[in-house]
Structure formats: C-alpha cells, structure tokens
Amino acid sequence: IYGTHSTNGVAKVHTDILTKRELNNWYKLYPERFNNKTNGITQRRWLLKANPELSELITELLGSKHWITRLDELKKLESYKDDEKVLKRFLDIKQIKKNQLAEYIKIHEGIEIDPYSIYDIQIKRFHEYKRQLLNAFHILDLYYRIKENPSLNMVNRTFIFGGKAAPGYERAKGIIKYINEIKELINNDKDIDGKIKVVFVTNYGVSYGEKLFSAADISEQISTAGKEASGTGNMKFMLNGTPTIGTLDGANIEIVEETGEDNNFIFGLEVEDIEKIESTYDPRKYYEEVEGLKRVVDSLVDGTFSDGNTHIFKELYDSILKGASWHRPDQYYLMKDFDSYRKAQKKVNDAYMDKMAWAKKCWINMANAGRFSSDRTIREYANEIWGIKN
C-alpha cells in the first residue's frame, strides 16, 4: 500500500471492510488512495454465447444489438416485467436451457434429472467460507423430512454442485467427498420417488458453466457475511434471469440494491451481526436446539457415510463443534444460519409455484444486470486508477 498510488476493493462491502477494519490504519494515513471497483462479467460470453435464445429475445425487444457492448441497455426491459406474453417466452427459453442441461448431464454424469424440477445450483471454488457444507446439510435435512413425510408439499428439486478444491485444502476436499456421499444415498433411494436429485458435475469449467448459468432456477451465494470479496458467479446467474438465495455479502448486496430484496431470497447474519456475537458465539446451542440440525451434523461421524478412513469427516465435525488451534468453533456460522437458510429455501419452493410471479422475479434480475458488466469495471480502472482516457 505504501508503494502504490491506489488500493481498491472489488465490491462495496469489500471496500468498506478494507477501509473500516482490515486496512483501517493505512486508510487513516492515505484515505485518498482507497476506492471501490465492483467486479464485472462479460455479457459476450455469459449471455450472448451461453444463451443465444435469450439473447435473440433481448435484441428483438430492444430493437438493436447495442446491449452487447452497452449492458445498461437491459434496464429498458424492465417495462416488460408485467407482460405475460414476454414472461411466457422467457419461461419457454428457460425450459429449453434446462432441457439442454438435463441431456448434457445424462451424457456426461450418467444421471437422469427432472427437467421440470427447480435447478438449484452452487458452482464455485470449494472453500469453507463459501459454505457448500451448509447447502449439503440442508439437502440431507430435506431428504430426511421427505422420508418421514412422503407427501411433503414441494416442487421437485435438483441440487447441482461444481467446483474444485486447492491441492492441499483437505477440509474442502472432505466437503466434496461428503456431498458425493449424500448424492449416492439420495439418488439411489427409490422411496423418495425422484423428489430430489443431487449432481456433482465433472471437471467444472467455463464450457460447463455456460450450460449451468443459463439453465439455473436459483443461484446459491451463501458465503458467511464479510468473507466473499465480490463473487462473479452471482452476476452470471443474474444476467441469465436467475434469482439469488444468499447472504448480504460481496456483490450480493449490490445485486439486491439493483433488483430489490423481494426479487431474491436473502437470509442469515450480516457483517454487523457477526461483529456483535463473535466473542460469545456458541454453535452447540443451535446444534442442540434447531430441529433436525443435530441429525444432519452427526451424519459426519455416526457411520451414515464413509470418508474412506481418512478421518476428514470427523475433522469437519470437530471444526464446527470444537474448533481447532487456529480457529474457534464454527467460524463460518453454519449452525447459526442453518434455520434461516432452510426458511429461505422454503420461500423459494413456494414462490416457484406461481409461475408468472416467478418469471417476473427472473426478468427483473436480468433487466438490472447492466451494472455488472466487466466493460464498466474496466472503464473505471482505466479512468479512475490508470488515467487512461478512451
């Protein structure tokens, strides 16, 4: 920082954390050097190429292709948010993309999924703070609830994961193993009648991502508040008309500012909440008292699943309830946020049943994605940091 002329965060909350907490002493010395540059994505890859069907509809409605280089043009589409003919065309396109993904998954993963189920997708690097484990706990809880009540009122759900762990990150690898164990349990249980399926895609990358982002019904952005610098997957989903289930973290905050909280599903602790409770937080309270939570957490150690004698599941269990020499118990607040997350997932289920209202949420997300173009990000870097005038 001393040797540079500019220091920036990559989302508003990231910049705030840098200036107010992590780098506060440097900020006091050099406040003029700090600034925000929220990340962006390229619409040429993540909409024009990944979703040509939706791109054609956008071009038709806008009457030009200017949006391809000026993504804020999408804002004009908000005028169609109550147009049932347009919303039905959007839903038809989404179904085309879902059918394409179902066929791709059948070929590449050997798993048949219901193309009319809710595609619930979390694709990103595996890390404890991104809380794929929270997602896994909810899936297992839902499975147990269906077993107990086969007539549970729910839309069929397909949970899709993708991502990789760093080579030496044993806990992240353990979470991948755990999710795949859950997948084997659920996908091979005929008693649940296909109400839920779990898919872990092979070798997740850009080409697979194009199919996943365009077909998704709900975008999982569930990191512990204050830990995600920005995220760009959340923007790719949004651009393809996918609402977010997530915490107020990273660029999720700015997505909600653009779309309104009613068009997404926000849950859990916020940064300020964590600051208030972190010194006294006891995860065992929630582990013991939240209905169904102990049962799913205990599946890590009670013999329900095998970790291949690596003891990594016990390590994950202990990281939540005992902590380790370098961190306190449940440092990413899975126990505290579990019930809030489960309730948000119930809201997703209920909202999806009203097709037109759901399509409106999707449409408003897409129409407000202009802020998240990498064209805007790069322009800000060029003009405000590097002094490059275009």
Side-chain angles (χ1 to χ4, degrees), residues 139-154:
I139 294 169
L140 189 58
D141 174 69
L142 181 59
Y143 168 74
Y144 287 142
R145 285 189 285 131
I146 293 170
K147 293 283 281 185
E148 292 168 349
N149 179 16
S151 61
L152 188 69
N153 184 27
M154 61 169 285

Side-chain angles (χ1 to χ4, degrees), residues 202-244:
T202 306
N203 196 27
Y204 168 64
V206 169
S207 297
Y208 220 136
E210 289 177 351
K211 296 172 177 62
L212 292 160
F213 287 115
S214 59
D217 289 306
I218 193 75
S219 160
E220 295 267 358
Q221 309 296 330
I222 60 177
S223 56
T224 309
K227 297 299 182 183
E228 186 69 78
S230 170
T232 52
N234 46 9
M235 303 170 189
K236 295 165 192 170
F237 283 114
M238 179 192 192
L239 184 61
N240 281 276
T242 305
T244 295

Side-chain angles (χ1 to χ4, degrees), residues 310-363:
T310 62
H311 308 295
I312 190 59
F313 289 178
K314 178 66 161 57
E315 162 75 6
L316 289 169
Y317 179 86
D318 287 344
S319 74
I320 294 169
L321 296 178
K322 296 181 181 178
S325 60
W326 68 93
H327 70 79
R328 54 169 177 68
D330 192 22
Q331 62 178 330
Y332 298 114
Y333 299 94
L334 280 75
M335 301 295 96
K336 172 65 174 170
D337 275 350
F338 177 81
D339 193 50
S340 178
Y341 177 57
R342 181 166 57 187
K343 288 173 179 171
Q345 285 284 19
K346 178 65 165 60
K347 289 179 182 177
V348 170
N349 178 81
D350 295 347
Y352 192 81
M353 292 181 181
D354 184 337
K355 282 298 189 183
M356 282 299 107
W358 181 267
K360 183 176 178 178
K361 289 180 190 293
C362 295
W363 191 262

Side-chain angles (χ1 to χ4, degrees), residues 152-169:
L152 188 69
N153 184 27
M154 61 169 285
V155 181
N156 287 2
R157 185 83 68 110
T158 301
F159 296 96
I160 303 175
F161 293 87
K164 298 162 188 174
Y169 195 170

